[in-house]
Amino acid sequence: MFEALWLIPALPLTGFILLVAGQRWSRRAVAVIGAGSVGAAALVALGLAVRFLVAPPPGHAVSQVLWTWMNVAGLTPRISLYLDALSLTMTVVVTVVGFLIHLYSTACMAEQGEPPGEGYRRFFAYMNLFVASMLVLVLADNLLLLYLGWEGVGVCSYLLIGFWYQDPANGRAAMKAFIVTRVGDTALAVGLFLLFVHLGTLQIQEAMQRAAAQWTPGSTLAVAAAALLLGGAVGKSAQLPLQTWLPDAMAGPTPVSALIHAATMVTAGVYLVARTHVLFELAPAVQLLVAVLGAATLLFAGFSALTQWDLKRVLAYSTISQLGYMFLGLGVGAWSATMFHFVTHAVFKSLLFLAAGVVIARLHEEHNMFRMGGLRRKLPVVFWTFLAGACALTSLPPATAGFSKELILNAAWCSAGPGGPWLYGAGLAGVFLTALYTFRMVFLTFFGPPGDQTAKAFPAGSARRPLLEKAMALPLLVLAAGCLFGGLLEWPAALGGHPFFVKFMSSVFPGAAEECPLATERILSAAAVLATLLGALSAYVLFLRCPGFARALAATPAGAAVHRFWLSGWGFDGLYDRLFVRPLVWVARINQADFIDQMYQGLAQLNVGLHRLLSRTQNGRVRWYAAGLAVGAILLLMMAVFL
Amino acid sequence: MNGGDLLALGPLIALGLTAVVVMLAAAFCRNHRLAVALTLAGLTAAGVALVCAWPLTPRQVTPLLLIDRPALFYTGLMLAAALVVTLLSHGYLEQQPIGRREEYYVLVLTTTLGAGVLAASAHFASFFLGLELLSVSLFALVAYPRTNPLCIEAGIKYLVLAGTSSAFLLFGVGLVYAALGTLDFARLAAAAAGGAAPGLLILAGVSLTLVGIGFKLSLVPFHLWAPDVYQGAPAPVAALVATVSKGAVFALLLRYVGQLPVSQHAALFTMFTVLAIASMFIGNWLALLQQNVKRLLAYSSIAHMGYLLVALLAGGRWAPAAVAVYLTAYFVTTLGAFGVVAVLSPRGRDADAPEDILGLAWRRPWLAGVFTLMLLSLAGIPLTAGFVGKFFVLAAGVNSNLWLLAAALAVNSAIGLFYYLRLIVLLFRQPAPAPAATPPLPRLAAAALGALTLALLWLGVYPAPFLQLIRMLMPD
């Protein structure tokens, strides 16, 4: 049964190859191949998951060696896959959510583009390649193979952000994403070299065992290796200080934002840290840094999300913020809770993106929430599913999925590490902010009087509204159901739940985080619910009940300054532009005609000059040519005589 | 002369007989196809005879000819080249306004015969005989399109200059004979290796023979004829001049000079070093900005002969292998490059102007791909035959500590890359609004180009079986 493991990445890869090779696939064939290959991978993954749960393999892990790439001087990277509870969870999420998003795209992408449906095949080819790379990343048994997947998803992200390449702005956004994550990738690559040099292997499990055996906690090497890996994770997961690319990445089509920039790729950093958690436990300072970065990021992004007017940018900042929660969880050692938050986040955030995609498409590519409004009655399916996603994001009943965040907060409070209460405080403030910006978004988009775009898209006279295609409605409904019931997998013990997920993960993360006393947990949960309700209520008052107050607040000089600051993502773009981009461009410009270049220019000129000179000897006259023969003969004779 | 000798001479006899048969057939029935078919059959028969002769090696047949493995290998290479040239010529001649086409193949066969004699000769007499057989056939071939003044000019230039160089050669042979009283290479080598330094008379004689050889190989400073003749000659004939003629003379040089103690003899060593370095640099410099494709290939072949001399000078066990690998790669790519020019040629002229190949990739993608591969191989880019050849030459040079020559080779590879890439850029540039109409691709030529491309990739990607064959050529 587990022999079928290789099929999981191979199926989407086959889809990619078929789509690239088949120049003349019909629209329907493209849809069937594109979505079908991922669907088949999802079926295989689910089958393996059932088998894994019913009859776990020995050691709760399976490794499948496909072949050895090469054998050079002790470096024998094997192309091998590794399935344990962690990678199984990732695989199931990537394939199932990926399939739903592909299904949605078959309908969504048919209407987009100029002319409609342009680039349909290209889109699904990239998406399939992305899913294949992502699966290689999570299933890799080897850091080198993981790196291949890591770079593969980066390339696909680049290709898909710039999917509408006719607009240069999209190309710029794609390049920004690629270059900024490259900074982190370089750190990761250096980290891999370091691990290989000092541990002598790149096999993940082996390397972790050797690290635990060779390095003492807090030793320089462990800290350096963990910090370098963290650099890669920060870049990929858009955490401070490498977060600037993700809001701009929203230039891609909405399904791309849902799949790559919310559900899967951006969590690769989280996965990397969880996968190499042994290393981070050996470097407590770096682990604390992970938590602090996560806490800072979740607050930073929460404030920025408050001021955005672009629906997709709110979701982008929300993603950064939620990833901040995951980093916070990793930092306090709540590995299982973090992975659970990854699962629920993948479900509710992709739902929010997909629903937002319908809204934007129905309003003729309008992104501005202030021109929407009153969509509640116009798009009921979208409204209710979006609301389910919003409840999950803010962990409000009846959605259960969002309670994963509470688990992380509880772990932060009860963690033995330094600064637990501070981290908890930041997280709690984040809960309030999350509720505030989420319901701001809900109220601005779906409630209130219809905005001008709403009026234009749904004229008062036309009674019939366009139906939502089945292929788009189905993923929304399935994901909404996931939001409502997904949390039951790991219901807080304080509310009489049972930790199924933590049990499942215990084979990967044996030393679980400190258990909180039940009473403490109850108080903490109550505080979180209170913060959420407070945030939702504030949103209701500020943005629905009396929007004039919020506007007046933003109009005061101080308010306007803060608003501008938050809207621009705390000025990071400007800062980096001044700090890195402009000096580099300046240096490049003054170095254009540098000395070394002159040398090569001179060399080229010399060659051209010699060519001109020698060309004169080829004058086409036979007597000159014959004289050449004679001179050559004399030269040879002179050498014979005098040497 | 007994049966074994006849069998050993089989390839040469088959070539000579085919030439006669084709001539007789033309006398009775003028038919272009028939001539081509007979030529191809004759070349194939010579190939079969070559395989039959292989087990008999080495065999001295009369004092003139020594049939050994290198001789048979190079003869086989030249047979293959003649086969390709014949395939290319059929379509090319059909396209051109030439009255009688059948005698052309007789000349191709006699050229190959001359080349085979050169490759096997162990004696100045057979050397001169083979050389003249080769040269005279080529004069006629170069000037074969009689109505084209460019061809006539090239033919006459080649005739006059080749005659001049032959005079030097004969005088050199005379000096050697005067000193030693023999025309045998082996006896000359024995005299040269006989302890005392060879006398001035012998040295002067050898130097003058080098003039004749240098002329045929178009080594600097005997290279001046090459661009004019290549440009004037019809493209398939130019291919013949570049491959069969040069290959045969190089095979002879390998035997002639291989027996002399070149590396111990300062004068001879300096002579060859100067010739090699001058050929590399001057050939590449001349090619640098050359616009005419055939002239450019002529200059490039000057440089390639310079590279080959490095392998020759390296001597030792690896030299014969390096020369064989390099020559094979050079044959494949040069034939391919001239072949593309031949199939592109419209009626009345050759497609050697830059406009003819401008934007070829957009009109004839396959042909442009083949040409690109040939150019990359000439430049010595990995995964092509040219790279393997260059690698062997460089390895041989480095093995023998010829650092100056190895450095010159490396520098010249960089210079050469420039003009090969320049042509490739031309191939892929967007064409002008009205592209020139190109003739349809003849089937035989397409087969030849396809086979050359496959050979190029095969040698470049998986050379092991070929190298196994080459290993049999090396002295044990």
Side-chain angles (χ1 to χ4, degrees):
Chain A
M1 178 78 195
F2 289 113
E3 284 74 44
L5 187 56
W6 63 275
L7 275 174
I8 298 177
L11 281 167
L13 190 66
T14 314
F16 163 71
I17 293 167
L18 283 178
L19 287 173
V20 167
Q23 299 281 340
R24 296 200 189 132
W25 293 115
S26 67
R27 178 76 56 85
R28 206 177 162 72
V30 169
V32 168
I33 295 173
S37 63
V38 180
L43 284 181
V44 176
L46 286 173
L48 289 192
V50 169
R51 169 72 207 273
F52 200 96
L53 285 172
V54 174
H60 292 272
V62 190
S63 163
Q64 186 179 31
V65 179
L66 300 179
W67 70 86
T68 301
W69 184 31
M70 58 174 176
N71 190 345
V72 181
L75 177 68
T76 51
R78 287 198 288 274
I79 307 291
S80 57
L81 305 177
Y82 184 79
L83 189 76
D84 62 356
L86 177 59
S87 55
L88 181 64
T89 309
M90 294 290 292
T91 305
V92 169
V93 170
V94 168
T95 52
V96 173
V97 174
F99 169 66
L100 291 173
I101 293 171
H102 273 73
L103 189 62
Y104 173 93
S105 308
T106 56
C108 162
M109 292 308 289
E111 300 162 3
Q112 304 225 341
E114 196 58 51
E118 188 270 335
Y120 199 66
R121 187 171 62 93
R122 186 163 59 97
F123 179 81
F124 280 100
Y126 291 167
M127 288 286 268
N128 276 6
L129 182 63
F130 168 77
V131 173
S133 308
M134 189 69 204
L135 289 168
V136 168
L137 195 167
V138 299
L139 285 173
D141 189 15
N142 180 297
L143 284 169
L144 205 64
L145 191 60
L146 183 145
Y147 194 70
L148 174 75
W150 187 274
E151 294 299 331
V153 294
V155 169
C156 293
S157 161
Y158 166 81
L159 290 171
L160 284 163
I161 293 170
F163 187 75
W164 307 123
Y165 58 89
Q166 290 92 342
D167 185 353
N170 296 344
R172 271 199 296 278
M175 270 198 281
K176 186 176 176 185
F178 199 67
I179 294 168
V180 174
T181 48
R182 180 79 359 184
V183 176
D185 292 357
T186 310
L188 174 61
V190 176
L192 297 195
F193 299 150
L194 189 122
L195 284 180
F196 180 68
V197 167
H198 287 280
L199 299 178
T201 179
L202 284 174
Q203 295 296 118
I204 297 173
Q205 304 307 320
E206 237 173 278
M208 291 304 119
Q209 280 162 16
R210 289 191 198 175
Q214 291 178 14
W215 291 344
T216 53
S219 67
T220 324
L221 275 176
V223 169
L228 286 167
L229 293 191
L230 175 63
V234 162
K236 212 51 144 190
S237 292
Q239 297 295 291
L240 282 172
L242 295 179
Q243 82 293 5
T244 56
W245 63 271
L246 189 57
D248 288 358
M250 296 299 124
T254 311
V256 173
S257 309
L259 179 61
I260 300 185
H261 304 117
T264 55
M265 184 191 84
V266 287
T267 58
V270 177
Y271 171 74
L272 180 70
V273 176
R275 181 43 89 205
T276 56
H277 64 99
V278 176
L279 214 54
F280 283 85
E281 281 167 349
L282 287 173
V286 179
Q287 206 186 351
L288 182 65
L289 182 65
V290 175
V292 171
L293 277 183
T297 307
L298 76 89
L299 282 178
F300 146 82
F303 281 116
S304 285
L306 261 185
T307 52
Q308 303 300 316
W309 49 263
D310 182 333
L311 182 56
K312 277 180 77 179
R313 280 180 92 89
V314 176
L315 290 173
Y317 276 110
S318 162
T319 303
I320 299 181
S321 170
Q322 296 300 309
L323 289 166
Y325 275 107
M326 292 183 215
F327 269 67
L328 177 60
L330 295 172
V332 298
W335 311 111
S336 307
T338 303
M339 289 324 292
F340 190 54
H341 192 52
F342 151 73
V343 175
T344 56
H345 175 253
V347 172
F348 64 68
K349 191 51 67 64
S350 53
L351 168 62
L352 287 172
F353 265 114
L354 295 184
V358 179
V359 169
I360 290 167
R362 286 283 184 273
L363 299 188
H364 311 302
E365 295 305 311
E366 180 56 63
H367 284 233
N368 191 342
M369 293 188 296
F370 290 96
R371 305 178 68 180
M372 296 174 179
L375 285 172
R376 185 164 40 118
R377 294 187 193 289
K378 311 288 183 198
L379 300 168
V381 177
V382 176
F383 167 65
W384 286 109
T385 50
F386 194 89
L387 193 64
C391 287
L393 172 57
T394 54
S395 56
L396 269 185
T400 59
F403 282 92
S404 49
K405 196 170 17 178
E406 250 101 289
L407 297 175
I408 293 176
L409 287 181
N410 295 352
W413 176 263
C414 302
S415 79
W422 287 102
L423 295 172
Y424 174 80
L428 195 65
V431 169
F432 172 75
L433 279 175
T434 307
L436 192 59
Y437 71 69
T438 305
F439 282 99
R440 169 177 177 265
M441 176 169 67
V442 171
F443 292 141
L444 285 178
T445 310
F446 292 101
F447 289 83
D452 57 345
Q453 276 295 335
T454 311
K456 209 190 288 175
F458 302 96
S462 66
R464 285 195 61 79
R465 46 173 190 261
L467 279 170
L468 198 58
E469 287 91 338
K470 277 202 197 84
M472 288 165 90
L474 186 70
L476 291 181
L477 292 172
V478 172
L479 289 169
C483 286
L484 293 183
F485 306 112
L488 296 177
L489 282 176
E490 178 70 30
W491 198 236
L495 302 175
H498 185 77
F500 289 112
F501 192 78
V502 171
K503 276 253 169 65
F504 177 59
M505 279 290 170
S506 60
S507 61
V508 185
F509 308 114
E514 289 81 12
E515 285 283 319
C516 276
L518 217 55
T520 323
E521 232 181 70
R522 286 207 177 105
I523 295 169
L524 294 176
S525 294
V529 169
L530 203 65
T532 307
L533 287 175
L534 208 60
L537 194 69
S538 312
Y540 174 72
V541 171
L542 281 175
F543 300 108
L544 199 61
R545 192 78 208 176
C546 32
F549 177 67
R551 234 174 279 144
L553 195 68
T556 61
V562 170
H563 187 270
R564 250 200 327 276
F565 185 57
W566 288 351
L567 183 65
S568 68
W570 296 47
F572 271 98
D573 275 330
L575 184 70
Y576 288 168
D577 191 41
R578 287 201 185 82
L579 218 56
F580 302 114
V581 179
R582 282 194 213 166
L584 260 174
V585 169
W586 180 72
V587 167
R589 192 166 295 143
I590 60 164
N591 200 30
Q592 247 169 10
D594 65 347
F595 165 69
I596 294 177
D597 231 28
Q598 295 292 323
M599 228 161 69
Y600 291 117
Q601 288 285 343
L603 207 60
Q605 289 299 324
L606 179 76
N607 277 309
V608 169
L610 284 165
H611 164 76
R612 298 250 154 78
L613 193 70
L614 286 168
S615 295
R616 302 230 177 134
T617 62
Q618 297 288 347
N619 56 12
R621 294 193 187 161
V622 177
R623 58 171 177 270
W624 168 259
Y625 290 2
L629 275 178
V631 169
I634 292 169
L635 278 175
L636 287 189
L637 280 176
M638 273 168 64
M639 276 190 252
V641 172
F642 293 111
L643 283 176
Chain B
M1 175 126 1
N2 54 26
D5 290 349
L6 280 178
L7 198 56
L9 287 182
L12 300 180
I13 294 171
L15 278 173
L17 275 179
T18 314
V20 174
V21 167
V22 174
M23 194 155 55
L24 286 176
F28 289 106
C29 161
R30 285 215 164 265
N31 185 328
H32 189 191
R33 273 199 200 168
L34 178 67
V36 172
L38 284 175
T39 310
L40 292 177
L43 288 169
T44 315
V48 173
L50 189 137
V51 174
C52 298
W54 187 266
L56 297 172
T57 56
R59 193 179 186 96
Q60 180 85 39
V61 186
T62 73
L64 296 184
L65 297 173
L66 170 63
I67 309 287
D68 57 3
R69 282 179 176 179
L72 285 184
F73 173 78
Y74 289 113
T75 307
L77 199 59
M78 264 127 21
L79 286 175
L83 199 78
V84 170
V85 168
T86 308
L87 292 174
L88 291 172
S89 300
H90 177 255
Y92 179 84
L93 292 182
E94 284 289 323
Q95 185 74 21
Q96 300 300 331
I98 297 171
R100 303 190 158 164
R101 303 187 172 93
E102 291 74 18
E103 287 84 353
Y104 177 95
Y105 299 97
V106 180
L107 293 168
V108 170
L109 287 165
T110 49
T111 307
T112 317
L113 179 60
V117 170
L118 269 179
S121 63
H123 195 275
F124 279 116
S126 51
F127 170 23
F128 193 70
L129 209 63
L131 194 71
E132 288 307 301
L133 190 52
L134 185 80
S135 301
V136 173
S137 313
L138 282 177
F139 306 148
L141 276 176
V142 169
Y144 200 82
R146 284 169 294 136
T147 49
N148 190 336
L150 215 59
C151 299
I152 297 291
E153 183 195 328
I156 290 183
K157 274 183 180 165
Y158 192 43
L159 174 69
V160 171
L161 294 169
T164 315
S165 76
S166 289
F168 280 107
L169 173 69
L170 270 183
F171 188 52
V173 173
L175 288 180
V176 171
Y177 187 71
L180 290 176
T182 179
L183 288 175
D184 206 329
F185 289 170
R187 301 258 287 281
L188 168 67
L200 193 56
L201 212 51
I202 298 177
L203 210 53
V206 171
S207 309
L208 287 179
T209 56
L210 285 187
V211 176
I213 291 170
F215 174 84
K216 277 279 172 243
L217 295 178
S218 68
L219 294 171
V220 176
F222 315 111
H223 65 287
L224 293 161
W225 62 276
D228 291 22
V229 171
Y230 277 50
Q231 190 185 3
V237 177
L240 207 61
V241 175
T243 55
V244 172
S245 158
K246 290 192 174 179
V249 174
F250 213 96
L252 173 107
L253 190 65
L254 200 61
R255 176 173 293 161
Y256 172 47
V257 172
Q259 297 177 347
L260 295 177
V262 175
S263 49
Q264 280 113 49
H265 200 280
L268 276 178
F269 190 78
T270 316
M271 268 183 227
F272 277 106
T273 308
V274 168
L275 287 180
I277 292 180
S279 300
M280 286 189 237
F281 274 104
I282 292 181
N284 278 324
W285 276 330
L286 279 168
L288 207 60
L289 296 179
Q290 180 53 247
Q291 294 297 311
N292 185 295
V293 178
K294 275 157 75 187
R295 280 185 91 86
L296 186 138
L297 287 172
Y299 291 134
S300 133
S301 87
I302 296 174
H304 278 282
M305 288 301 128
Y307 301 153
L308 259 173
L309 279 189
V310 178
L312 184 77
L313 279 176
R317 224 172 141 251
W318 281 94
V323 169
V325 174
Y326 198 93
L327 260 184
T328 309
Y330 170 79
F331 267 49
V332 169
T333 45
T334 308
L335 286 170
F338 277 110
V340 172
V341 174
V343 298
L344 282 176
S345 296
R347 192 174 172 78
R349 66 179 192 87
D350 273 12
D352 53 3
E355 301 82 60
D356 290 317
I357 59 161
L358 176 68
L360 191 65
W362 307 94
R363 285 177 280 145
R364 309 285 289 269
W366 286 100
L367 215 49
V370 169
F371 202 20
T372 306
L373 274 177
M374 297 301 161
L375 290 169
L376 289 176
S377 173
L378 281 173
I381 302 292
L383 297 186
T384 61
F387 171 74
V388 178
K390 204 168 254 181
F391 178 81
F392 263 73
V393 168
L394 202 58
V398 169
N399 247 343
S400 306
N401 293 322
L402 303 177
W403 294 108
L404 178 69
L405 284 164
L409 203 162
V411 169
N412 275 286
S413 297
I415 301 177
L417 194 59
F418 173 77
Y419 58 83
Y420 296 124
L421 288 182
R422 196 163 54 80
L423 280 189
I424 294 177
V425 168
L426 214 55
L427 287 175
F428 284 87
R429 192 176 288 168
Q430 280 285 4
T438 44
L441 193 60
R443 212 170 288 161
L444 288 181
L449 286 178
L452 288 172
T453 311
L454 284 182
L456 177 138
L457 290 174
W458 181 56
L459 286 180
V461 176
Y462 185 54
F466 177 70
L467 297 180
Q468 203 64 39
L469 174 72
I470 295 290
R471 199 151 294 158
M472 293 196 292
L473 301 179
M474 300 200 308
D476 301 313

